Amino acid sequence: SGINAEYGDRGLMMKYFLVLILVAFSTACKQPNPHPRPHGPPIFVRAFQVAALNETYTFKFGVAGMKPLEKSEIHLKKVLKGNRHPELVDTDFKVSLKRLTEEEIKEWMDRKDKKNPRPNPRPAFKHAIIGKVKTDRVLTCEDQAPYMVIYGDRRCEGGDELEGVVHPHPRPHPRPRGFFFILVEGCEPPRRYD
């Protein structure tokens, strides 16, 4: 695939790591529906952000929806290996948010669709917020990790204890919205967690 051709063994290791994170998130919350639909607004972020070692880095993401969005509900989290499940921790990256007008939303979606044509047209979003992330410090190998842009609260409803839940469907959850990986050039590829 494209990532293997570009990054070799490092790309393969990233795929294994990404699958591990996705499996962990898919079993983390109890869901009565075996085919749950994604909750919350769509989050647009490039899946792999490639940054240089010992340099600052800037990238953008978008959150869009039909209902009004609150800036205070948008969070950027780093995904770390926990004892039983991945942990989401705050980052020290600077995030600035800007609410878009309906005209700006249309222009933004038109640009996005020109880059990646879709067979089915996207819904016409009424509300959108663009986020700009900037590292105020230079990136190190410790920053090479998975991250998530989150809208709202990611805990299970009712504060349930996270337990391994067997789902009747082999792939009950889609890839978590807002999930991406920062690759830092010059660092070792991430190791697969066993």
Side-chain angles (χ1 to χ4, degrees), residues 6 32 39 51 55 69 77 94 103 138 149 167 173 192:
E6 191 171 338
H39 297 285
E55 291 186 18
L69 301 170
K77 302 286 186 177
K94 182 180 177 188
E103 186 176 302
V138 296
V149 175
H167 293 281
H173 294 277
R192 193 173 133 204

Side-chain angles (χ1 to χ4, degrees), residues 3-193:
I3 194 102
N4 281 346
E6 191 171 338
Y7 294 102
D9 288 340
R10 184 176 177 184
L12 187 61
M13 291 302 294
M14 286 184 301
K15 282 184 178 180
Y16 287 133
F17 187 70
L18 181 63
V19 167
L20 173 73
I21 294 296
L22 294 176
V23 168
F25 272 114
S26 71
T27 61
C29 294
K30 294 179 183 178
Q31 294 286 336
N33 181 354
H35 306 284
R37 298 188 59 159
H39 297 285
I43 298 172
F44 302 93
V45 62
R46 194 169 359 135
F48 291 96
Q49 306 284 337
V50 181
L53 183 63
N54 297 321
E55 291 186 18
T56 60
Y57 184 66
T58 303
F59 65 94
K60 292 183 179 181
F61 65 87
V63 181
M66 299 303 197
K67 298 177 183 177
L69 301 170
E70 296 296 326
K71 289 182 181 181
S72 61
E73 293 291 319
I74 298 173
H75 309 283
L76 177 63
K77 302 286 186 177
K78 184 175 184 178
V79 181
L80 298 177
K81 181 182 178 198
N83 289 335
R84 294 181 56 194
H85 298 284
E87 294 179 22
L88 300 177
V89 297
D90 292 328
T91 67
D92 59 352
F93 301 158
K94 182 180 177 188
V95 180
S96 57
L97 301 171
K98 177 188 174 203
R99 191 176 308 275
L100 298 181
T101 65
E102 283 193 47
E103 186 176 302
E104 290 172 320
I105 294 170
K106 183 171 175 16
E107 290 173 10
W108 173 54
M109 294 308 294
D110 287 345
R111 279 194 312 267
K112 188 150 189 58
D113 287 339
K114 282 182 184 173
K115 287 181 185 175
N116 300 315
R118 297 171 56 97
N120 300 322
R122 291 184 193 275
F125 295 113
K126 304 282 186 215
H127 305 276
I129 297 174
I130 294 291
K132 183 176 183 182
V133 179
K134 182 175 185 340
T135 61
D136 285 339
R137 58 175 175 74
V138 296
L139 292 178
T140 65
C141 292
E142 293 291 318
D143 296 309
Q144 178 169 278
Y147 293 82
M148 286 185 80
V149 175
I150 299 170
Y151 186 84
D153 190 6
R154 285 289 299 181
R155 288 179 293 180
C156 296
E157 291 180 16
D160 292 337
E161 178 68 24
L162 299 177
E163 299 196 15
V165 177
V166 177
H167 293 281
H169 190 272
R171 187 167 177 223
H173 294 277
R175 177 180 136 207
R177 290 184 175 200
F179 187 88
F180 66 98
F181 200 95
I182 293 182
L183 297 171
V184 180
E185 292 178 329
C187 295
E188 281 188 38
R191 286 190 295 255
R192 193 173 133 204
Y193 293 129

